[in-house]
Amino acid sequence: MTDRWTRAEERYRQNAERRYRRDDLEWSEADDYEDDTTVIPRYEDERYDDDQYEGDEYDDEPPLAPEPPRRAAPQRADRVGRRGADRRGSERTPRSGARASGGRGQRPKRSRMASRKAAERKRRRRNLFVIASVFAVLFVAAVGFAGWKFIGKLSGPADFSGPQGPLVVIQIHSGDTATQIAQTMADKGVVASSGAFYEAAVRNTNMSSIQPGYYAVPSHSKGSEAVTALFAKDARVGNVVISEGRQLHDSSDVSTGARKDGIYRKIAEASCVGTGTAAKCVTYEQLDQAGAGDPTALGVPTWALERVKTAPDRSRQLEGLIAGGTLDFDPTASPQDILKQLVTMSAQSYEASGLLQSGAANGLTPYDTLISASLVEREALPQDMSKVARVIVNRLAAQQPLQFDSTVNYNLAQTEVATTDADRAKKTPWNTYAMPGLPATPISAPSLDAMRAMENPAPGPWLYFVTVDKQGTTLFTDDYKEHLRNIEKARQSGILDSGR
């Protein structure tokens, strides 16, 4: 019993002593073993060369911790062979560059190059992640946009569905396509999108006949409603038709007392947007007041500016500067801007006819040519205009009074073809019976036919002319006695009868 406990105690002691020992079978090969508790050898990264740690740069490194004390070798150690001891010893031998046992130890360090490479790899991974994220976002956005466009094509362009809003004035220019008109409609808020109008417009055959000008259409309309509104009876606004020979102000006929609307009256009527009590218009009085303002602000061209500034009646200073014909203006503009727009368009029209070069043929300035053309307009039918123009040129050259009844009637409240002796004797800045030369201003809106006739008068010696019947037959002569006989013919036909 005692022997059993003795053997158990011995085995316990031996197990405790072998707690930090290597395999007994390996140690048994060592011949010169001194201690079985050697410290576990250090393993260093073979990527680093220990030579780079030598030198003063690392002299201040803290020394390695001293190796723990070795235990006494057990009696079984005598079986350890020399070969195993040699191998274990080589494992404990420091690599080249390590200091001897008992000196300061050397810790392995990463080189700077390795640290930079590691940081570079980390930065590359981060950049790749950012780039991948950006491409992912762009891809998702592109897919979303393509999907939105595809859905939009399937559902059609945006269009209004609610009640229509107030009227909006839009302008259609000469040569505008359906696409351009559609964009104008969208910009003005008439339709929700240009596509809504365009799709309806291409199905409407009337679009090919749409005229340039201004149109009042309801805002917030469906595309189809906006197209239909363009062709409504009262859709065209700002479109004024000025008959040739019409004057700025109203006048009345001696015989009937009927009012003959002047140009200002025509413009006022054409300026209305809307109908009934909701209509918005500029008035005749507003235009009359604006027409007496600064000529420069009213768009008077340079070739007429000085003469207009010296007009004897400022309310008549724009006479003749608004041409006869069909004109378009923005009805939402102020009275002054409306007149400026019309004067500017008329001046361009006159100049295009050759007005600025007409002096070579008639010897007159551009403004005097305009005055003379207004007389031709009031005195002659189209087929006789170039002859009447020659009479004017010939009489001016002979310093002979023109003696046109149209100049007597110009500033009369009531007019007629025939004039009285009292009217002809009354001196005014326009009465060519009472003074030589041309009137102070034009007396009407001349047509382009009258302008061309005055710019290039027909050749001839005529000094006199008179209309002899109500059909407009006009006789020309350079002999005064023959002219008196022609006047008698006119009296006999009743054309010179007075209604006063």
Side-chain angles (χ1 to χ4, degrees):
M1 184 65 177
T2 303
D3 292 339
R4 182 185 304 172
W5 284 106
T6 301
R7 287 192 299 273
E9 182 179 2
E10 180 63 20
R11 285 195 301 272
Y12 176 81
R13 185 184 61 80
Q14 290 178 358
N15 289 337
E17 290 177 349
R18 289 200 306 266
R19 183 174 300 173
Y20 298 102
R21 289 171 53 194
R22 294 182 179 273
D23 190 351
D24 290 343
L25 294 178
E26 182 180 349
W27 293 347
S28 65
E29 300 176 4
D31 294 334
D32 56 348
Y33 176 77
E34 296 179 357
D35 191 359
D36 64 337
T37 59
T38 185
V39 177
I40 298 175
R42 292 194 310 276
Y43 289 90
E44 299 177 355
D45 193 345
E46 294 182 359
R47 291 179 300 174
Y48 306 112
D49 188 354
D50 290 342
D51 291 341
Q52 65 183 326
Y53 298 112
E54 293 184 356
D56 296 338
E57 182 178 355
Y58 298 101
D59 284 348
D60 295 332
E61 284 290 321
L64 296 175
E67 296 182 359
R70 300 181 178 178
R71 297 176 178 273
Q75 294 181 0
R76 295 176 56 189
D78 56 358
R79 294 178 299 176
V80 177
R82 181 177 301 275
R83 181 179 175 185
D86 291 341
R87 185 172 67 242
R88 188 179 70 249
S90 66
E91 291 174 352
R92 291 199 308 268
T93 303
R95 299 180 63 183
S96 61
R99 297 188 182 273
S101 175
R104 288 183 298 177
Q106 181 68 34
R107 288 188 302 178
K109 281 179 170 256
R110 284 189 177 184
S111 68
R112 295 177 180 175
M113 181 64 71
S115 298
R116 284 197 295 269
K117 288 182 178 180
E120 181 67 22
R121 287 194 297 272
K122 184 176 181 181
R123 184 165 56 254
R124 287 178 181 173
R125 288 194 299 269
R126 184 171 62 249
N127 291 344
L128 288 174
F129 176 76
V130 172
I131 293 172
S133 300
V134 171
F135 273 105
V137 171
L138 292 177
F139 178 76
V140 172
V143 171
F145 179 76
W148 176 75
K149 294 290 287 184
F150 179 73
I151 293 173
K153 289 182 179 180
L154 292 179
S155 61
D159 205 359
F160 287 128
S161 59
Q164 294 179 332
L167 292 175
V168 174
V169 175
I170 61 104
Q171 182 181 12
I172 296 178
H173 301 86
S174 178
D176 274 359
T177 63
T179 301
Q180 292 170 318
I181 297 174
Q183 190 59 53
T184 300
M185 289 288 192
D187 292 342
K188 289 286 189 176
V190 176
V191 291
S193 65
S194 59
F197 180 89
Y198 181 81
E199 288 188 356
V202 295
R203 295 193 296 266
N204 193 314
T205 57
N206 290 328
M207 284 299 299
S208 59
S209 61
I210 192 72
Q211 297 297 311
Y214 295 86
Y215 294 81
V217 291
S219 61
H220 212 274
S221 298
K222 293 181 180 178
S224 57
E225 293 173 347
V227 173
T228 303
L230 276 179
F231 302 99
K233 183 179 179 181
D234 55 352
R236 187 81 177 268
V237 293
N239 177 249
V240 59
V241 178
I242 300 174
S243 59
E244 293 83 354
R246 193 173 294 271
Q247 298 171 340
L248 286 177
H249 299 91
D250 296 343
S251 61
S252 60
D253 184 85
V254 169
S255 302
T256 64
R259 184 183 73 188
K260 184 176 183 179
D261 292 343
I263 293 174
Y264 286 158
R265 182 75 61 185
K266 291 290 186 181
I267 295 172
E269 292 174 353
S271 71
C272 294
V273 176
T275 58
T277 57
K280 296 180 180 179
C281 319
V282 298
T283 65
Y284 174 91
E285 292 75 19
Q286 288 174 328
L287 292 167
D288 185 30
Q289 182 179 3
D294 179 16
T296 303
L298 292 169
V300 174
T302 55
W303 47 264
L305 190 57
E306 293 304 317
R307 294 283 293 277
V308 170
K309 286 180 178 179
T310 60
D313 185 349
R314 297 300 296 275
S315 67
R316 298 177 184 271
Q317 66 180 355
L318 294 185
E319 194 74 80
L321 290 172
I322 298 177
T326 301
L327 301 174
D328 289 293
F329 63 90
D330 183 359
T332 63
S334 67
Q336 176 179 299
D337 288 339
I338 290 174
L339 294 178
K340 180 179 181 179
Q341 190 176 359
L342 295 175
V343 169
T344 300
M345 286 189 295
S346 299
Q348 293 171 350
S349 177
Y350 291 153
E351 292 166 10
S353 70
L355 173 64
L356 302 182
Q357 297 79 34
S358 63
N362 59 29
L364 303 174
T365 66
Y367 190 65
D368 283 341
T369 299
L370 180 63
I371 295 174
S372 301
S374 71
L375 301 181
V376 171
E377 189 65 55
R378 297 286 288 186
E379 292 284 340
L381 296 176
Q383 64 270 21
D384 296 320
M385 284 183 172
S386 61
K387 289 184 177 181
V388 172
R390 176 53 62 184
V391 171
I392 293 173
V393 171
N394 290 345
R395 284 202 172 194
L396 290 175
Q399 295 184 349
Q400 183 176 346
L402 296 179
Q403 296 181 331
F404 286 176
D405 289 294
S406 57
T407 63
V408 177
N409 276 316
Y410 174 66
N411 65 335
L412 296 178
Q414 294 182 320
T415 62
E416 60 178 345
V417 175
T419 57
T420 65
D421 292 339
D423 291 335
R424 290 192 293 269
K426 190 183 299 182
K427 267 196 170 184
T428 71
W430 298 272
N431 185 359
T432 57
Y433 276 95
M435 67 176 189
L438 292 169
T441 67
I443 62 171
S444 68
S447 64
L448 289 181
D449 286 340
M451 290 294 298
R452 295 188 186 99
M454 197 63 232
E455 290 161 5
N456 294 282
W462 311 293
L463 290 172
Y464 310 100
F465 69 93
V466 62
T467 301
V468 296
D469 57 34
K470 294 183 179 180
Q471 287 70 43
T473 304
T474 303
L475 301 178
F476 294 83
T477 182
D478 59 345
D479 183 272
Y480 184 65
K481 291 182 179 180
E482 184 178 356
H483 177 57
L484 292 178
R485 290 193 292 270
N486 292 336
I487 291 175
E488 186 59 31
K489 292 179 182 179
R491 287 198 180 97
Q492 290 175 1
S493 67
I495 196 172
L496 295 181
D497 291 343
S498 175
R500 296 180 187 276

